[in-house]
Amino acid sequence: QVQLVESGGGLVQAGGSLRLSCVASGQSFSNYVMGWFRQVPGKEREFVSAIGRSGGNTYYTNSVKGRFTISRDNAKNTVYLQMNSLKPEDTAVYYCTARFGVTPRVESSKYDYWGQGTQVTVSS
């Protein structure tokens, strides 16, 4: 079992920045691919970003490339999502997720554990 706890969400003006953090507890953090998804009411959960187990490989959905940066610190069992140049369309609940294995995936069904989510609201 892996428990994930996100923090760092909030209200920010368009063009601003936020950094999300997700702390994992339980089984060995470095065995898991980590990812971030987001969801707005009435829509499916959407892939945002993922990072390989060692942090060397990162993946982003097109709409956040160049604005968001995912990173991880395996010594602290933590994954981060630095979000810059935020837009109103980034408003969503952001979820941290963990996948046991090597390959990051964009399908939410391929992930094994989820956090409770943190709200990000970007005002125009």
Side-chain angles (χ1 to χ4, degrees):
Q1 283 282 5
V2 175
Q3 293 78 42
L4 303 173
V5 179
E6 304 101 332
S7 62
L11 173 63
V12 64
Q13 289 188 333
S17 298
L18 284 173
R19 188 175 83 154
L20 305 183
S21 299
C22 172
V23 179
S25 60
Q27 297 183 14
S28 179
F29 181 70
S30 59
N31 285 339
Y32 290 83
V33 168
M34 299 300 296
W36 290 94
F37 283 69
R38 64 188 180 188
Q39 189 171 25
V40 298
K43 292 191 176 182
E44 291 187 359
R45 199 165 289 189
E46 173 193 26
F47 172 80
V48 175
S49 182
I51 187 166
R53 297 185 302 182
S54 65
N57 297 319
T58 58
Y59 306 84
Y60 301 93
T61 192
N62 285 339
S63 63
V64 309
K65 283 181 181 177
R67 299 189 299 121
F68 290 11
T69 302
I70 191 171
S71 61
R72 67 189 293 165
D73 185 337
N74 286 349
K76 295 182 178 180
N77 287 1
T78 303
V79 62
Y80 305 97
L81 186 68
Q82 177 68 44
M83 305 186 296
N84 298 330
S85 302
L86 282 162
K87 304 176 181 180
E89 51 264 43
D90 294 318
T91 295
V93 177
Y94 283 70
Y95 295 91
C96 174
T97 185
R99 168 179 161 79
F100 184 78
V102 176
T103 307
R105 300 290 294 267
V106 301
E107 304 96 330
S108 60
S109 61
K110 300 299 183 183
Y111 287 80
D112 303 300
Y113 302 101
W114 295 85
Q116 81 288 352
T118 186
Q119 177 70 47
V120 171
T121 303
V122 184
S123 63
S124 57

